[in-house]
Every structure is written in C-alpha cells, then in structure tokens.
C-alpha cells in the first residue's frame, strides 16, 4: 500500500528506496514525519502536560527514576553522562529504536573533544567512532556575474561521526548499572506534574499504558515534541530546515579529503509555494562512501511543500547537477530530518525550554544554530553545562521551572544568527531568483578578505559581536542590495527585534567579562 502510493507520486523515491535494505521501514518513518506537517497548521495543540490531580485513578507507577528521557539520540548522550558520571538512575525510551538517528553527524574535531572533557567518552572511543576526517572544506554559491568565490574553511565539520557507534557506547555506559533501563518502541503519551516529581505515561509496543515517576522528565523528542508544542502555545519553532540525503557510493567528482559545506548549483526553485533556495552538502563518509544532503531554509508559516518525500524526489532528480552518479552508483541508506530554529524577539531567550520537573534538550528545545542548523554541535558545546546544571538541580531538589530553565543551550551570539537566517529564506514574491546566492557569494568574498578566524567562527557559531558587525558592514559596502532587502526580510518589527538581539548579545558579553 505504502509502496504503491510512493511509486505513483514519487517515482524516483520508489526506484531508489526499493533497492535499499529496509527501504519500506524508512518510507514508513518518513511518511510519519510528513504527516506531522500535513496536520500541523490545522490540528489543535495536544494537551500533554497535566496536573497530578488529572492522572487516572487506576494508574499504577511501575518504577521510579531520577531522570526519565523521551528520545534516544541526543537524549542517550546526556543520560549517559548523568548515569556514568553522577550515578543517577535513568530510563531512556524511544518510540522507534534508541541510538538509531535518521541523520548522520558532522562536527569539528575540537568540538568533538568536548565529549572527552565532560567525561563521557575516552579519546580512544571518540577516535574509533570517526568514520572519516578530512583536510579542509569549502562553500560556494551559484552566480553568473564572474565573481563566484569558493571559500576554503579549515577546522569546520571536518569529522564524519559514526553516530550509531558513538550512541552504542553511550548505551553500554548507561546499562552498566542494572538499575538503568533503555526501552525501544515506547511512545510518550502524557505527563502529570506533582510538587516533587512528575509521572510519565507511555504506551508500549503491546499498546498498554505504563507509568513511570521521575524527579525530572527530559524531553528529547525533537521537532515533533508535543510537550514543546504545548508549553510554547503551539509555536515551538519559527523556522526550519527540511533536509534529505543519502549515504552512497559510486558518485563522480568526489574528493575524500574535502568536505563541501554549503553549495548551490542553480537559482531558487519556484515550483513549490513561495519558492526555496536549494543547497547541497557533501561529506566523505569513510571508504568509498559519500554523504550528500539537500536542504532549504524556510519559515514555519510559508506555503512551501515541506514534505520530506517531496524533497527526496527533488534530491534524486537534481543530484546529477551536483554529483553525477556513476555506473556503480549505490544508495546504502537515506538520511533525513526536519531541523528547527527559533527567532527570539527580545534581549534574551524568549522560548520556553522548561516547566516544573520538565526540561527540554536538543531539537525539542530548538536552541541550535539557526544559520548552520547544526544541532549536534550546539549540544556538544553545551553538554558540560547541561549535565552539571541538572546535577546541581537534582542535588538541591530544585525542580521548579525558574531553576530548570536556566539549564539550556541558549547562546546570545547563536540566537542573533536568526536574523541572518531570514535572508536565506527565499520568497518569490519579494526576491529575484538568485538573491540568496548573490548575497551569500558576497559574504564569501568578504570572509575571504579577512583572516581565517572569521570564517571559522561564523561556521562554528563562535562569532563575537564585533566580528559580525565588521562582516556585516563589509557586505553592505560591497552589496548595497542587502540594505534594501533588510526592509523586506525583517520589516520594522524584525529590525527592532534584531536590535534587541544585538543589545542582548552585547550585555551578555559584558557580563561574562
């Protein structure tokens, strides 16, 4: 049934997924993700966070934990630190399979080292999980004015990580204590808040309701988190990045020593809704394998087709314009996801990331970079503070919202990047077809004329405010059209919001000094 539907609407997806091991299972998961977007704007926000008095009278708590995690990817890493370093009793459950993310991870080596510094993995364990490490990377955008600049960037996303292997080690560390549990095919349903604890209601693979009590419930359910939706009044993210791709072999023009960080091959695609600027990424994945991604930046409210199946069909159609499949081309598995971002209209974080006895992590918190959309990098950078902060709360029994919301990956410099991301969201009603490419090409030219630390900082989300202002002034000087576009992209309200972000960034920098 699923295969017939896909074959009719997405023939290229049907062709390639039909050759992949477990292709139907991947299709089922992708259809599940797509159904979220189909119903997103029209379905009422589910009420899943309830008071303890609303818990069913016949509910029986089967076990108690310090921490219960919903979501077995980044949640597994956080739980591993809490279990192995702080000896906390943890339960991790996932509605699918824990430790099996649908996206691969690329990260810089000096960021990856933080996993050793926090005490999660040894150097040997981290090194064994790296599928490939390359010498340099570059970014390039499509322009026809003779000014195309290929910007080479060192020390950025230069490690392809075997996420399954890294998470497998984390899983072992959790299960080293028999008090801890990891459960697959278990779905979050609701949670009930009590003064000193929270009870989580789940449904197991036998469709039975089961209840667990925890001091803190950690929501790591990603962009689809119903908890995040409710606590943010149905607006848990403002922008997003639909992403699809494959791990394959047999592509032509592949250099195993170079990562291609951002690449566009044509003007914006206006065949779907308001239009989208399609961007490619390509990373060696070890041996003869290569990972390619296709994605676009978009606002939550746009009328673009955000379905992953639709984007996969476009991916297979346009792949030859980026990397031509050779005669031995083979798709080993798909990679995909919808990465959220949040625009904070204020001087500091404005998104809800916690409630009494509830804490959000990863994409559920939507605090990753809205420019690079690298949630894994943001999580790793902040893992030390995220785990130390939660341990402090547990030690002091401080589970109120005002305390837990201080435990977040919010970074003022990263939050400010949401203003730049808006320029990457193509709108066919206001932008000429090559607007995004021409603007980003000028940014590449400016960065090429500055010392290498500027480009590295921009792509690793470590820019200082003075760095961003210098880059912005140079871009405005070389590409005056960006000033006119600001009125369209941001408007008066958005311009004021950008000023608030910048002031908040400056105040934070001053406070930290």
């Amino acid at each position: 049934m699923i295969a017939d539907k896909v074959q009719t609407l997405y023939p290229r997806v049907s062709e390639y997924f039909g050759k992949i091991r477990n292709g139907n299972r991947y299709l089922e998961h992708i259809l599940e993700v797509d159904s979220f977007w189909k119903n997103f704007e029209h379905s009422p926000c589910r009420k899943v966070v309830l008071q303890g008095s609303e818990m069913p009278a016949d509910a029986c708590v089967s076990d108690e934990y310090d921490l219960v995690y919903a979501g077995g990817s980044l949640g597994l890493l956080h739980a591993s630190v809490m279990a192995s370093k702080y000896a906390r009793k943890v339960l991790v459950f996932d509605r699918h399979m824990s430790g099996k993310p649908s996206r691969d991870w690329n990260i810089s080596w000096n960021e990856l080292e933080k996993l050793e510094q926090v005490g999660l993995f040894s150097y040997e364990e981290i090194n064994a999980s790296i599928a490939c490490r390359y010498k340099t990377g570059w970014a390039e955008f499509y322009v026809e004015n003779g000014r195309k600049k290929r910007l080479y960037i060192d020390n950025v996303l230069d490690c392809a990580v075997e996420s399954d292997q890294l998470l497998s080690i984390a899983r072992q560390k959790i299960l080293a204590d028999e008090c801890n549990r990891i459960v697959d095919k278990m779905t979050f349903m609701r949670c009930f808040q009590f003064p000193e604890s929270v009870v989580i209601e789940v449904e197991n693979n036998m469709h039975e309701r089961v209840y667990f009590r925890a001091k803190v419930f950690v929501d790591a359910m990603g962009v689809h988190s119903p908890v995040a939706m409710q606590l943010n009044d149905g607006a848990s993210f403002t922008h997003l990045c639909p992403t699809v791709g494959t791990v394959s072999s047999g592509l032509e023009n592949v250099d195993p020593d170079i990562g291609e960080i951002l690449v566009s091959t044509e003007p914006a695609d206006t065949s779907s809704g308001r239009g989208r600027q399609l961007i490619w990424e390509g990373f060696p994945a070890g041996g003869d394998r290569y990972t390619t991604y296709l994605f676009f930046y978009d606002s939550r409210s746009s009328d673009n087709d955000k379905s992953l199946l639709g984007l996969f069909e476009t991916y297979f159609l346009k792949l030859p314009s980026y990397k031509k499949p050779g005669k031995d081309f083979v798709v080993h598995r798909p990679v995909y996801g919808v990465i959220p971002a949040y625009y904070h209209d204020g001087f500091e974080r404005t998104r809800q990331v916690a409630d009494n006895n509830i804490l959000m992590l990863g994409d559920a918190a939507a605090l990753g970079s809205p420019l690079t959309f690298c949630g894994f990098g943001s999580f790793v950078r902040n893992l030390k503070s995220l785990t130390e902060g939660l341990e402090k709360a547990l030690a002091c029994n401080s589970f109120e919202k005002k305390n837990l919301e201080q435990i977040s990956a919010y970074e003022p410099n990263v939050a400010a990047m949401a203003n730049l991301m808006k320029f990457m969201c193509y709108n066919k009603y206001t932008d000429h077809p090559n607007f995004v490419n021409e603007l980003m090409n000028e940014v590449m030219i400016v960065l090429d004329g500055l010392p290498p630390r500027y480009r590295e900082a921009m792509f690793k989300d470590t820019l200082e405010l003075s760095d961003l202002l210098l880059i912005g002034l140079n871009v405005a000087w070389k590409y005056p059209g960006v000033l006119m576009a600001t009125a369209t992209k941001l408007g008066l309200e958005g311009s004021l919001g950008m000023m608030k972000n910048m002031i908040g960034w400056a105040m934070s920098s001053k406070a930290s000094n």
Side-chain angles (χ1 to χ4, degrees):
M1 183 74 176
I2 291 176
D4 291 342
K5 177 183 176 182
V6 172
Q7 186 174 21
T8 301
L9 298 175
Y10 309 103
R12 293 176 181 84
V13 175
S14 177
E15 176 189 351
Y16 284 103
F17 274 65
K19 302 174 184 177
I20 301 173
R21 182 184 177 188
N22 298 320
N24 267 349
R25 180 171 61 82
Y26 287 117
L27 285 175
E28 288 174 2
H29 187 214
I30 293 167
L31 282 167
E32 179 184 315
V33 175
D34 282 351
S35 69
F36 171 81
W37 297 111
K38 185 177 180 180
N39 302 317
F40 175 67
E41 295 293 346
H42 309 291
S43 300
C45 183
R46 287 172 54 205
K47 188 175 182 181
V48 296
V49 180
L50 305 167
Q51 294 303 306
S53 59
E54 299 177 80
M55 192 168 80
D58 60 348
C60 180
V61 174
S62 64
D63 206 348
E64 298 188 8
Y65 297 86
D66 291 319
L67 301 165
V68 170
Y69 291 78
S73 291
L74 295 182
L76 207 61
L77 294 179
H78 192 279
S80 183
V81 177
M82 300 307 297
S84 61
K85 184 175 182 179
Y86 297 113
R88 291 296 175 180
K89 183 180 178 182
V90 305
L91 163 68
V92 181
F93 68 89
D94 194 285
R95 68 177 303 173
H96 297 292
M97 297 293 291
S98 61
K100 299 290 183 181
S102 60
R103 301 196 308 265
D104 276 2
W105 293 338
N106 282 81
I107 191 170
S108 64
W109 171 251
N110 59 3
E111 289 175 315
L112 200 56
E113 285 181 309
K114 295 184 184 299
L115 294 176
E116 179 185 11
Q117 295 167 10
V118 80
L120 178 53
F121 300 117
S122 67
Y123 172 85
E124 290 74 21
E125 288 171 332
I126 294 172
N127 208 42
S129 299
I130 297 176
C132 183
R133 188 173 179 183
Y134 15 98
K135 296 177 180 178
T136 188
W138 53 261
E140 182 179 86
F141 293 85
Y142 174 85
V143 293
E144 295 182 307
N145 57 12
R147 290 170 53 81
K148 182 188 292 187
K149 170 56 66 177
R150 176 172 293 185
L151 181 72
Y152 282 89
I153 312 161
D154 295 335
N155 306 313
V156 170
L157 302 178
D158 55 351
C159 294
V161 178
E162 292 276 11
S163 53
D164 287 11
Q165 183 170 338
L166 204 63
L167 291 172
S168 176
I169 299 171
R171 184 186 182 103
Q172 293 169 24
K173 292 177 184 290
I174 292 172
L175 297 178
D177 188 329
E178 62 183 14
C179 292
N180 301 324
R181 290 182 64 195
I182 299 174
V183 185
D184 297 326
K185 299 185 183 302
M186 183 173 277
T187 302
F188 170 83
M189 303 306 292
R190 298 180 294 180
C191 62
F192 303 91
Q193 295 170 304
F194 292 88
E196 299 297 329
S197 65
V198 57
V199 172
I200 301 95
E201 178 186 47
V202 301
E203 184 175 271
N204 63 21
N205 60 350
M206 303 295 291
H207 303 292
E208 300 166 331
R209 295 296 171 102
V210 184
Y211 297 84
F212 301 105
R213 188 182 298 276
K215 294 177 181 177
V216 177
F217 169 53
V218 182
D219 173 12
M221 290 184 280
V223 66
H224 303 138
S225 165
V227 174
M229 286 288 181
Q230 178 183 335
L231 297 183
N232 287 278
D233 299 321
S236 58
F237 56 94
T238 60
H239 295 79
L240 66 157
C241 183
T243 303
V244 302
T246 64
V247 178
S248 66
S249 54
L251 289 170
E252 298 180 358
N253 302 317
V254 166
D255 188 332
D257 293 323
I258 294 179
E260 299 180 10
I261 299 170
L262 292 173
V263 184
S264 67
T265 59
E266 61 185 341
D269 170 23
T270 58
S271 63
S272 173
R274 292 197 305 183
R276 53 194 185 178
Q277 178 59 62
L278 299 172
I279 300 174
W280 296 90
E281 282 185 327
F283 297 105
D288 64 346
R289 298 193 173 195
Y290 197 79
T291 303
T292 48
Y293 291 102
L294 180 66
F295 60 92
F296 63 97
Y297 298 83
D298 204 5
S299 66
R300 187 192 69 176
S301 59
S302 84
D303 54 4
N304 278 321
D305 175 15
K306 298 177 178 66
S307 74
L308 295 183
L309 276 180
L311 190 55
F312 259 119
E313 186 72 8
T314 301
Y315 167 88
F316 288 117
L317 173 66
K318 294 181 178 289
L319 179 61
S321 69
Y322 173 52
K323 298 291 181 187
K324 185 178 179 181
K327 60 182 178 63
D328 297 322
F329 177 66
V330 175
V331 174
H332 301 289
R333 59 184 172 89
V335 285
Y336 54 90
V338 178
I339 310 169
Y342 193 88
Y343 164 64
H344 301 266
D345 186 10
F347 298 102
E348 53 189 3
R349 177 182 52 79
T350 59
R351 188 194 189 276
Q352 300 299 321
V353 297
D355 201 34
N356 294 338
N357 301 91
I358 297 173
L359 177 66
M360 298 171 217
L361 289 179
D363 284 351
L367 295 177
S369 171
L371 191 62
T372 63
F373 277 96
C374 188
F376 180 55
S378 171
F379 180 82
V380 169
R381 282 197 308 273
N382 291 281
L383 184 57
K384 186 173 187 290
S385 63
L386 290 172
T387 50
E388 287 181 350
L390 185 52
E391 173 57 26
K392 182 178 179 181
L394 288 166
C396 300
N397 290 319
S398 301
F399 308 133
E400 298 88 356
K401 175 184 175 181
K402 65 180 181 180
N403 296 319
L404 292 181
E405 67 183 359
Q406 303 304 313
I407 307 168
S408 83
Y410 177 78
E411 299 168 291
N413 62 317
V414 172
M417 293 300 109
N419 298 283
L420 303 186
M421 173 199 58
K422 292 179 181 180
F423 289 87
M424 301 286 285
C425 297
Y426 177 79
N427 186 336
K428 72 179 181 182
Y429 300 117
T430 59
D431 302 335
H432 65 81
N434 217 34
F435 167 77
V436 174
N437 288 327
E438 291 179 5
L439 171 61
M440 290 307 299
N441 187 63
E442 295 301 326
V443 173
M444 299 301 104
I445 291 173
V446 167
L447 289 173
D448 189 57
L450 294 171
R453 72 173 183 86
Y454 286 90
R455 67 191 74 173
E456 183 175 335
M458 173 165 272
F459 283 88
K460 290 171 69 173
D461 303 316
T462 58
L463 274 178
E464 299 290 340
L465 179 56
S466 58
D467 297 338
L468 179 63
L469 293 175
L470 176 63
I471 293 169
L473 289 172
N474 274 274
V475 171
W477 176 259
K478 294 178 178 293
Y479 188 67
V482 72
L483 298 175
M484 298 177 62
T486 300
T488 302
K489 291 292 184 183
L490 302 183
L492 177 60
E493 184 178 350
S495 297
L496 291 174
M498 180 172 67
M499 291 176 63
K500 285 186 279 188
N501 287 173
M502 297 300 180
I503 293 171
W505 186 359
M507 292 169 60
S508 174
S509 299
K510 185 176 181 180
S512 62
N513 293 328

